[in-house]
Amino acid sequence: MRYLSTRGHADRKQFCEILLEGLAPDGGLYLPESYPQIDASALTRLREVWQSQGYAALAFEVLSLYIDDISRDDLQALCRKTYTPEVFGTKEIVPLKPLQAAGQAQPAMYLEALSNGPTLAFKDMAMQLLGHLFEYELARRGEALNIFGATSGDTGSAAEYAMRGKKGVRVFMTSPNGRMSPFQQAQMFSLLDDNIHNIAIEGVFDDCQDIVKAVSNDLEFKRKYKIGTVNSINWARLLAQVVYYFAGYFQATQSNDQKVSFTVPSGNFGNVCAGHVARMMGLPIDRLVVATNENDVLDEFFRTGVYRVRGTTDTHETSSPSMDISKASNFERFVFDLLGRDAAQTKAIFGEGLSRQGFFDLSGDRRFAQAATTYGFDSGRSTHADRLTTIQQVFATYGVMIDTHTADGVKVAQEHLNPQVPMIVLETALPIKFAATIVEALGRQPERPPQFEGIEALPKRVQVMKADVGLVKAYIQQHCD
Ligand SMILES: *Cc1c(COP(=O)(O)O)cnc(C)c1O
């Protein structure tokens, strides 16, 4: 298996070469040269693997189709180490929860629980694997890596929990001082591991991102201090997410003649892009419904064919903050496929076109219609008021408490139900992470998993710093020597 860039660079790379990289050298994103095909007998076999051996074995089967530069034994061991009930809370790892009221003949929909990992958000599903893969590959190369990033909450903590204690890796994570929820701050700052560094920047999330950009543009510093990232464009993260589409399908169906649909609360298009990959492999997915919040860049595209990047001033701060994006960093992968893998055109619209004009328009391109027909995409958006109503409704009708991001998914899923096809909504976080909105909706505190009792009172390790690139660089330097 070789990987190519969506912008047509001539290099073809292996999995472990792109594992520690971000963008391709031409600014494109990596994708496999082709999607391995799962025919009927392979799907039957995967269902048996899921049923008899569980998630870690299924993960190994799917990953091994894309990874041929790690031995099968080692890859199997990495999957087994990652997907354990101790880390993910249940034997199934990603159990389906039917939303079914008493007296209903069948569930209205299912929630696929992806947020029972260490940080209670779906990013753990991929990041935990990445932690093990990084440690493995760095040891094999005899190298070290310093992960540097910016977070408004979920990504940074998932990265820290995945990398804590891992050999060869340090994490330097900036976050806007005082702006994450108290629970998120407690989660991150209570990590006392030597290789984890929290830097709270006096400013907003954009200030943190600007600092990360400035450091990435300093190639000399980047090379000298072996700076890397773990953002959502990383192919290994996306690949890890493909697995739970298979696990969701096997749980919602009895036979491979059936189809399912997924609704995915979306921001950077990483999660739903994994669904697209699963569908391209032949998993019987009917619809892939993209759910956005008020930051509706993606919903706008699927409705109109126009992709319009937002400026920082028209990016809304919402009560589903992990979906507050101005552009969807993984979207180029899908558009590349939609355009029949025309790298020149992908480069033209995402490269110069987007930075010059701030938008591209495929409404007049006959291939745009295929997003819905050939590729099965639908979309919808949700607002703060919708979120509150949906949280109330789901709690009153099914006795299930959902978080604000999952609520965006349920709201949009309701607009795309088909009685013939089970609908699976991906549950991307637990309500405890976004307690203020739950209290607003339900007038009560969300349930707290027992292992998180009292985390706000734990000792914290965090360095508060002015929004100054020089200070941040000095801090990294000092902690790398
Ligand atoms: C990151 C995140 C999302 C958005 O996922 P993308 O892959 O960026 O589309 C949705 N919900 C939660 C809780 C998240 O943390």
Side-chain angles (χ1 to χ4, degrees), residues 122-123 154 265-271 322-323 405 428-429:
F122 90 96
K123 293 191 172 67
D154 288 345
S266 293
N268 276 317
F269 203 78
N271 199 352
S322 301
M323 292 156 59
H405 306 76
T428 55

Side-chain angles (χ1 to χ4, degrees), residues 368-385:
F368 170 61
Q370 295 175 349
T373 54
T374 312
Y375 296 95
F377 275 93
D378 284 317
S379 72
R381 84 194 279 273
S382 164
T383 64
H384 182 68

